[in-house]
Amino acid sequence: MTAVLLWLVFLAILGMFLVLGYRRNRERFGETFARRNLRSSLFWILLAVLCGVAIEFLPEPWPTWVVVAFDFAVAVIAAAYIIRWSQRRYNAGVLLVRLRPQRHNKRWLFYGGLFFSVLALLQTIATFGAIYGDIAYTDTATRNLWFLCGQAVLQWALAAFLMAAGLAPTELRDRGIYDRLSVLPWKAIDSYRWEGENQSQLIVSASRNFPFFAVCKQLSIPPTQRPEVASIVANKCG
């Protein structure tokens, strides 16, 4: 009964975040983007649930080792993504304008990086406690120790990734809009518009050849850079 109750609470919180995210995206980017973003979120949530259920049906000790392998794989992917940031910047072409770090990037830094840093620190303490504690090195204890190590490595990698992404400026380059998370090619942009006070918010909508994804970016443009940015965007997307 307790496990069922916890799942119900988790699903209620998840549903609340999905509804709030849908309403926020609809107000900011429109109905089409909000629906595609909601479908994307539901797709990945369903995929994660199915994978979790499939792992639970594996015979022991495979569930633990699958989770450990997943933790290290994600950590390696995050590290490789960080290493390739400079290459993606180079591929995006010559720098045209460098903008200050965007508000959503700061949220990645504060909420994401700080959250995972705290988790990683606690997980590291637990891991060293298990290593230096009085434990019997049975197969079960060894698997549990690897599980703790995998969780610590994963959380430190996510913390580093999110904090680095949060500190990154956004750059308008010759081949697209670059930040450390992605490069949005100019040719993929369907439309753009200016909103907000003094028309300082640039919103671009892009098409991708994926059924579950839609891309919208909101960029805060300082008044001193607005004429230059407006000229570049009109030239690249006109």
Side-chain angles (χ1 to χ4, degrees):
M1 180 62 69
T2 303
V4 173
L5 182 60
L6 289 175
W7 269 107
L8 291 176
V9 171
F10 170 75
L11 291 175
I13 294 174
L14 184 61
M16 180 185 68
F17 277 108
L18 287 174
V19 171
L20 291 175
Y22 171 78
R23 293 179 61 182
R24 175 179 176 274
N25 287 328
R26 185 179 61 183
E27 293 173 358
R28 181 170 295 181
F29 303 120
E31 185 73 25
T32 301
F33 173 79
R35 288 184 177 182
R36 294 187 69 183
N37 188 267
L38 181 61
R39 288 198 300 267
S40 173
S41 300
L42 291 174
F43 170 77
W44 289 111
I45 291 171
L46 178 61
L47 182 62
V49 170
L50 292 176
C51 289
V53 171
I55 290 173
E56 285 297 322
F57 279 99
L58 292 175
E60 291 293 344
W62 288 107
T64 301
W65 292 122
V66 169
V67 173
V68 170
F70 173 81
D71 291 343
F72 280 99
V74 172
V76 170
I77 292 171
Y81 205 79
I82 292 173
I83 292 171
R84 286 182 55 82
W85 276 340
S86 60
Q87 181 64 40
R88 283 195 299 276
R89 175 185 289 176
Y90 175 80
N91 292 338
V94 178
L95 175 66
L96 303 177
V97 175
R98 177 177 287 113
L99 304 173
R100 63 190 179 189
Q102 299 295 304
R103 185 187 307 172
H104 63 276
N105 282 356
K106 292 180 180 178
R107 286 200 295 267
W108 279 100
L109 168 64
F110 183 77
Y111 294 111
L114 182 61
F115 175 75
F116 279 107
S117 294
V118 173
L119 282 184
L121 181 60
L122 295 176
Q123 196 72 50
T124 302
I125 293 173
T127 302
F128 277 102
I131 292 174
Y132 293 105
D134 295 329
I135 61 172
Y137 286 96
T138 61
D139 290 342
T140 300
T142 301
R143 290 199 302 270
N144 291 338
L145 184 59
W146 273 105
F147 176 81
L148 291 173
C149 290
Q151 289 288 295
V153 170
L154 172 65
Q155 289 158 11
W156 279 121
L158 292 177
F161 176 83
L162 293 174
M163 293 181 74
L167 291 171
T170 298
E171 298 175 350
L172 273 60
R173 290 183 166 264
D174 186 54
R175 299 192 184 97
I177 300 174
Y178 165 84
D179 58 31
R180 284 180 174 171
L181 295 177
S182 64
V183 177
L184 178 59
W186 295 113
K187 62 182 180 181
I189 295 176
D190 293 329
S191 62
Y192 69 92
R193 66 183 186 273
W194 293 91
E195 290 185 354
E197 185 178 358
N198 299 322
Q199 298 288 291
S200 61
Q201 302 294 317
L202 173 62
I203 297 178
V204 296
S205 301
S207 63
R208 293 291 178 91
N209 296 321
F210 300 103
F212 291 103
F213 294 93
V215 178
C216 280
K217 282 184 178 291
Q218 180 174 355
L219 304 177
S220 298
I221 311 298
T224 56
Q225 293 181 302
R226 191 190 183 287
E228 185 179 10
V229 172
S231 175
I232 292 171
V233 174
N235 180 53
K236 295 292 186 179
C237 303

